[in-house]
Amino acid sequence: LSSEPPNHHALSGGIAPADWPLWDLYAPPLGPGCSCALIGISATRARRMLESGEAFDLTKGAPEGVGPDEDWNRPEGWWAKL
């Protein structure tokens, strides 16, 4: 989306396991009005996407500047309660 903030867009194409501890930081919403979403995929599809360069592995490092909007606070583990 063209109106997507750069710190949100930087996560597009990022893949990590569902139990990745840093989802507490990187899972949407990343700020007020955030329309980002997580999509579950199989391990096979994730491997293929990584091998083709269609995606990148968040567990090996997130792009610089990525993350929630400044001053955006939410309780730790909030997304696991959805």
Side-chain angles (χ1 to χ4, degrees), residues 3 5 9 11 14 20-21 32 45 47 49 51 53 55 57 59 65 74 77:
S3 63
H9 184 72
L11 283 171
W20 185 48
R45 181 169 180 207
R47 188 171 38 258
M49 290 174 73
E51 289 170 357
D57 187 345
T59 67
R74 58 185 175 215

